[in-house]
Amino acid sequence: MSDLRIGFIGLGNVGGQLAGNLLRHGIELTVRDLDPQRVASFVARGAKPANSPRELAAGVDLVITCLPSPAVSAQVMEQPDGVLAGLAAGKIWLEMSTTDHAEARRLAARVEERGATAMDCPVSGGCHRAATGNISIFAGGTRAAFERVLPVLSILGQRILHTGPVGSASMLKVLTNYLCTVHLAALAEALTVAKVAGLDMNTTYEGIRISSGNSLVHETESQVILNGSRDINFTMDLVVKDVGLFDALARDHDVPLELSPLVLGIFRDGARRYGEREFSPNIIRRLEDACAVRVLGEGFPAQMVDDEPKIPGYEVVPRRQSLL
């Protein structure tokens, strides 16, 4: 699989890291992005540029898209010079964007009409783990398609979970992003209360980390909050998009949620106050402003860096009770 010609569309915070991993592993890579500087950076490292999504898809075996919204994905796929126009029998499309499951299925059907194979393969774990190839990947599609692309996914990620048919990965991804957002909103409240109550913030961080209150979000986003940079390479508008997708999924299935609408309202308010492109951990600023404090610690990093070595990716097999 490593001798496949791969095309990558979307060289943003996550996509650029994933595409960089492919280059570092000697993959023949063609790239496409609306930002010419991002493209030039990859060309300087050995990638080929494409003038359109259609040109990219026609010249490779595997097309990967990693884009900011379902609307952008649809445009890149379906415009006259889009990916669909360049697909043919035997080619593969991997949608690595966080997108709507119904939209993933709709576009997958159009891909299959061209004789190609479609999978939705969103990632989870943060940009710092995408940079090292240690991120987690959810993969939705047939088992045969999954096994075909597993060698490439093993380069891009560490833990890879086959979730079922196309669309299932996207549903699971918005669920996990919702949980991440709930943790972030709760941490903003807990850290602010600790500050106002006079607790030492470094001690507070460690107390949470070694207790039942710990989470991956605390071990990453709390650090950039306490540094003051709040730079986790994820922004308010993306939170609103992702939690909105989760909220819509629940409403489509008549699940009467209570927390999700509250959290969505908190981040919509944050986006109105501080801008849609404000870093998402700065949601704590709503509470800092209300209490006239700054929630800061000492010695925390401005950005998270994954210092674990890249290990070969592997399939995560769900636990199931034996029927014997």
Side-chain angles (χ1 to χ4, degrees):
M1 198 75 179
S2 60
D3 60 350
L4 282 182
R5 299 168 300 164
I6 298 179
F8 206 108
I9 302 176
L11 304 175
N13 290 335
V14 175
Q17 304 290 2
L18 296 172
N21 284 326
L22 295 173
L23 268 185
R24 285 191 292 276
H25 281 79
I27 300 293
E28 182 180 335
L29 187 68
T30 304
V31 295
R32 171 77 180 164
D33 193 277
L34 293 180
D35 185 336
Q37 292 183 337
R38 291 174 180 169
V39 173
S41 172
F42 273 84
V43 170
R45 287 181 278 164
K48 301 175 184 177
N51 293 317
S52 69
R54 177 178 183 171
E55 178 183 300
L56 180 144
V60 301
D61 306 300
L62 171 66
V63 178
I64 299 174
T65 50
C66 190
L67 299 162
S69 72
V72 174
S73 289
Q75 181 182 19
V76 167
M77 294 295 291
E78 297 182 301
Q79 63 192 25
D81 61 348
V83 169
L84 284 172
L87 290 179
K91 293 180 183 283
I92 308 167
W93 170 55
L94 297 186
E95 171 63 292
M96 301 196 79
S97 318
T98 300
T99 189
D100 175 70
H101 69 284
E103 188 68 354
R105 288 171 177 165
R106 185 185 71 82
L107 291 173
R110 297 209 60 191
V111 167
E112 289 162 5
E113 288 172 358
R114 307 282 300 180
T117 299
M119 296 190 71
D120 60 327
C121 296
V123 300
S124 182
C127 290
H128 62 297
R129 293 186 70 82
T132 57
N134 285 329
I135 205 162
S136 296
I137 302 176
F138 302 144
T142 66
R143 184 70 202 182
F146 174 74
E147 291 178 356
R148 187 178 174 196
V149 301
L150 185 57
V152 171
L153 297 181
S154 297
I155 293 173
L156 295 172
Q158 181 186 109
R159 291 166 291 190
I160 302 138
L161 177 66
H162 182 224
T163 60
V166 171
S168 60
S170 292
M171 284 191 280
L172 186 56
K173 175 61 192 300
V174 299
L175 185 153
T176 60
N177 274 23
Y178 163 68
L179 289 171
C180 174
T181 305
V182 171
H183 295 176
L184 177 58
L187 283 163
E189 293 187 347
L191 293 174
T192 304
V193 169
K195 176 67 176 181
V196 174
L199 291 176
D200 177 81
M201 297 313 299
N202 287 60
T203 302
T204 297
Y205 173 83
E206 293 299 336
I208 297 171
R209 187 184 66 83
I210 65 172
S211 73
S212 58
N214 193 32
S215 67
L216 175 65
V217 180
H218 175 61
E219 292 191 2
T220 54
E221 302 197 35
S222 287
Q223 294 204 57
V224 298
I225 287 174
L226 294 170
N227 169 272
S229 74
R230 281 76 198 269
D231 182 359
I232 204 70
N233 276 316
F234 205 74
T235 52
M236 299 276 188
D237 59 333
L238 295 178
V239 171
V240 170
K241 183 260 291 187
D242 289 354
V243 179
L245 289 171
F246 171 77
D247 201 62
L249 176 63
R251 285 187 278 105
D252 287 346
H253 290 82
D254 298 319
V255 181
L257 299 183
E258 296 176 285
L259 283 179
S260 176
L262 290 174
V263 172
L264 190 55
I266 287 170
F267 278 88
R268 282 175 173 162
D269 181 64
R272 282 193 297 267
R273 293 187 190 208
Y274 310 119
E276 292 186 342
R277 302 303 294 167
E278 179 62 75
F279 290 125
S280 56
N282 218 22
I283 199 66
I284 197 173
R285 189 174 160 192
R286 294 169 71 251
L287 297 168
E288 290 179 319
D289 290 349
C291 299
V293 296
R294 283 281 282 164
V295 180
L296 299 172
E298 299 177 6
F300 291 97
Q303 286 187 315
M304 295 307 303
V305 175
D306 182 21
D307 56 7
E308 295 181 17
K310 165 63 179 173
I311 68 170
Y314 60 90
E315 181 182 359
V316 175
V317 179
R319 298 179 183 178
R320 302 194 187 280
Q321 185 176 0
S322 173
L323 297 178
L324 299 178

